[in-house]
Amino acid sequence: MILIGVGANLPSPRFGPPRATCEAGVAALEAADLPVAARAPWYETAPVASPPDAPWFVNGVVRLADWPPPEPLLERLHAIEADFGRARGEVNAPRVLDLDLLAWHDTVNPGPTPPVLPHPRLAERAFVLCPLADVAPGWRHPVTGSTVEAMLAALPADQAVHRAGA
C-alpha cells in the first residue's frame, strides 16, 4: 500500500484556494502516471508546528496503485510540488502544495538517506491520521504495529481537525 499525504494552506496563482490546489494536485498525480486507487475526503486542519498566524490547511490522503521504488516516487512528488510553485525553505512554513510519501508498502527506512519511511511524524498528526483512516482503515504502522485507529485514539485532543464541507 502506497500512501501519499496531500495538503496546502496557501492559494495557488494557477489553481486558486488551497482546496482547489489540492484537487489539482491529485489530478497531477494521475497525469504523472501515479494512478490513484483511493482518496480520502478533505479535512480542514489547524497548522502544527507552524508560525502562529499561519492559515489553516486542507489535507487529505490518497492511496496509489503499485508503483516503482520509493526513491523515484519521492522525486516525482517533489517535481509536482515544484511545478505548483512550492519553494522549500523554512520547515513547517505555509505552502502552496505538500505531497508527503507517508508509507510505501511495509518498507522501513529510518534515514538518513531519503525517503524516510514510514513518514516519521505521521503517528503524531491528526491531519494525516484522519484521512488515512478513511482511505486505509485498519492500516498498521510497519514499525510499531499500531493501527491507524489506535494511533488516532492516542492523539492529544488539542489538534483541531474537521472534515471539510462539500
Side-chain angles (χ1 to χ4, degrees), residues 100-159:
D100 284 334
L101 179 53
L102 302 174
W104 195 86
H105 302 293
D106 290 332
T107 299
V108 175
N109 177 23
T113 304
V116 175
L117 291 167
H119 191 283
R121 293 171 301 284
L122 74 83
E124 305 163 6
R125 297 183 166 170
F127 69 82
V128 171
L129 294 175
C130 286
L132 196 154
D134 288 328
V135 77
W139 179 81
R140 289 191 176 273
H141 193 286
V143 174
T144 67
S146 296
T147 65
V148 64
E149 293 82 4
M151 290 183 281
L152 261 172
L155 287 176
D158 65 347
Q159 294 188 43

Side-chain angles (χ1 to χ4, degrees), residues 74 77-78 81 85-90 97-100:
L74 184 64
L77 296 177
H78 286 173
E81 288 177 340
R86 164 109 187 243
R88 291 185 178 274
E90 184 182 331
L97 182 64
D98 191 22
L99 298 171
D100 284 334

